[in-house]
Amino acid sequence: MSRRLVALVLALVLAGFGGWLMMRDGLDRLIAVHTLFDEDRIVENFSHMDRLFHSAAMPTPVHEPSPLPRAPTPAAMPAGFAAWVAERNITSVVVVSRGEVAFEEYYLGTSPDDRRVSWSMGKGFLAALFGISVLNGEIASLDDPVTKYAPALEGSAYDGATIRNVLNMASGVEFDEDYGDFWSDINKMGRVIALGGSLDEFTASIDTRRGSPGEAFHYVSMDTHALGMVLRGATGKRIPTLMNERLFTPMRLEADPYYLTDSDGNAFVLGGLNLTTRDYARFGQLVLEGGALNGVEIIPEAWVEDMLAPSAPKTSGSRYGYQWWIPRDAGPGEVFARGVYGQYVWIDRG
């Protein structure tokens, strides 16, 4: 009897210890969320996000990276460039012109090997992946309701929105993106990740609309997570697996990327992708070349055109396509993916 009692007590102690470890892990991530943008930590954090949060590795087959040669003569940057870099605490700049690296530099102690967090630049990657799924027939129509492929969204604010609405950030969903407000929706989402919650459940719990789907553009980061739910439902695969198979392996990256995830292992597709700066440049070159890289089609060319067209309802600033921005006053052919705190993949197709 006493041995059984001792065994029971030990099991309870071990269970309690495991629970304490889980709680401590969640608290560590919560602290990471609230110190992520601290001035003395931000550079280190943005280059090593897998030390702070759950993540999914995306190992690609052993290969030589796709060509990204240096230009014979480096580009001369415009007057004031050094001051511009210093004022904005830039960590890296890669400029590719005619398929060659015309300028490349790293700052604030960073290096070419650092895999940097994309934040909302990652939305452009998911949009590209979406086009491949459409080509494959896994998604029948962009005018299908999102609930056809993501039934967990039935009864939420996304119920009634089409895939096209959500690609255009015109879902009609009410969502507060104010990073400076502790109680904003975007910061609530951050605490969900930190404390081991489910992003699917968080997205499905949004029940307030600001308008009818397709009526107006309103930037909602959870729209991108809803798109990820659609892709998973249509293909039966997680996003890191899909993106690695269909995008990154044929692109032949320099370094294995990774995605931040929630505790369910689902990718933080609205901003958790991490690549080297040179590999972000490869993606920009892929989009510039209409979905082909070094003559090999990876993304359907027709989808690239649709993705980059200003198809969303009118915005007050830059125009919007399928998860991509189009400058309001820029020349023809300019598009960009943008992340909070100054990440850009800027493409001039003119």
Side-chain angles (χ1 to χ4, degrees):
M1 176 70 70
S2 61
R3 288 182 180 177
R4 285 199 296 270
L5 179 59
V6 169
L8 176 61
V9 171
L10 180 60
L12 289 173
V13 169
L14 289 174
F17 183 68
W20 177 78
L21 285 176
M22 290 177 64
M23 182 177 69
R24 188 185 70 176
D25 188 41
L27 287 174
D28 286 344
R29 290 195 303 273
L30 187 61
I31 291 169
V33 166
H34 291 292
T35 59
L36 197 59
F37 306 116
D38 286 2
E39 187 174 346
D40 61 337
R41 301 189 186 194
I42 189 169
V43 172
E44 179 74 10
N45 288 345
F46 280 20
S47 294
H48 303 284
M49 295 290 285
D50 53 341
R51 297 177 184 174
L52 307 176
F53 301 103
H54 292 303
S55 63
M58 301 164 71
T60 55
V62 177
H63 53 65
E64 288 293 321
S66 60
L68 196 60
R70 290 188 174 275
T73 304
M77 303 309 283
F81 177 75
W84 180 84
V85 166
E87 288 168 4
R88 289 161 178 79
N89 293 316
I90 301 295
T91 55
S92 64
V93 177
V94 173
V95 177
V96 179
S97 177
R98 296 178 176 85
E100 297 178 327
V101 176
F103 182 87
E104 180 176 6
E105 194 57 76
Y106 299 86
Y107 310 92
L108 302 180
T110 65
S111 79
D113 296 329
D114 290 337
R115 290 172 294 175
R116 306 162 198 282
V117 66
S118 67
W119 296 125
S120 288
M121 288 196 310
K123 294 176 168 70
F125 286 78
L126 193 77
L129 185 64
F130 222 94
I132 301 172
S133 192
V134 171
L135 176 70
N136 289 346
E138 295 155 345
I139 294 171
S141 170
L142 297 186
D143 296 314
D144 285 341
V146 292
T147 51
K148 177 178 177 179
Y149 306 92
L153 296 176
E154 291 176 0
S156 75
Y158 284 98
D159 203 342
T162 68
I163 295 171
R164 193 185 309 275
N165 295 153
V166 181
L167 280 166
N168 279 154
M169 292 283 183
S171 63
V173 169
E174 179 63 63
F175 194 82
D176 181 4
E177 292 264 341
D178 184 358
Y179 285 86
D181 179 359
F182 180 83
W183 297 111
S184 70
D185 295 314
I186 196 70
N187 283 327
K188 289 178 184 176
M189 181 273 299
R191 292 191 287 276
V192 166
I193 294 177
L195 295 175
S198 163
L199 287 173
D200 283 5
E201 291 179 5
F202 178 79
T203 307
S205 73
I206 302 172
D207 58 7
T208 305
R209 281 189 180 148
R210 62 184 286 123
S212 299
E215 183 176 75
F217 172 87
H218 177 59
Y219 192 86
V220 174
S221 279
M222 300 319 295
D223 282 8
T224 312
H225 189 80
L227 293 172
M229 293 173 72
V230 168
L231 269 180
R232 284 189 273 126
T235 64
K237 294 184 177 183
R238 292 186 188 265
I239 302 303
T241 300
L242 277 176
M243 192 167 287
N244 214 17
E245 289 176 352
R246 298 181 177 183
L247 198 60
F248 292 151
T249 295
M251 280 179 62
R252 293 164 49 198
L253 304 183
E254 286 191 12
D256 290 343
Y258 66 89
Y259 250 125
L260 303 183
T261 73
D262 64 9
S263 58
D264 292 337
N266 286 320
F268 181 48
V269 293
L270 59 95
L273 187 60
N274 295 259
L275 285 79
T276 66
T277 305
R278 287 173 64 87
D279 285 336
Y280 284 119
R282 279 184 170 83
F283 179 66
Q285 188 68 24
L286 172 67
V287 174
L288 174 70
E289 294 182 12
L293 199 60
N294 303 307
V296 178
E297 182 178 271
I298 299 173
I299 310 167
E301 185 175 10
W303 176 261
V304 173
E305 292 303 315
D306 289 345
M307 180 176 73
L308 303 182
S311 55
K314 186 178 180 181
T315 70
S316 59
S318 295
R319 298 164 292 171
Y320 204 71
Y322 295 160
Q323 307 285 292
W324 280 81
W325 295 94
I326 299 96
R328 181 177 55 183
D329 299 323
E334 288 191 64
V335 297
F336 62 95
R338 177 175 65 186
V340 69
Y341 276 76
Q343 293 94 344
Y344 283 89
V345 173
W346 193 284
I347 302 168
D348 184 356
R349 304 185 297 156

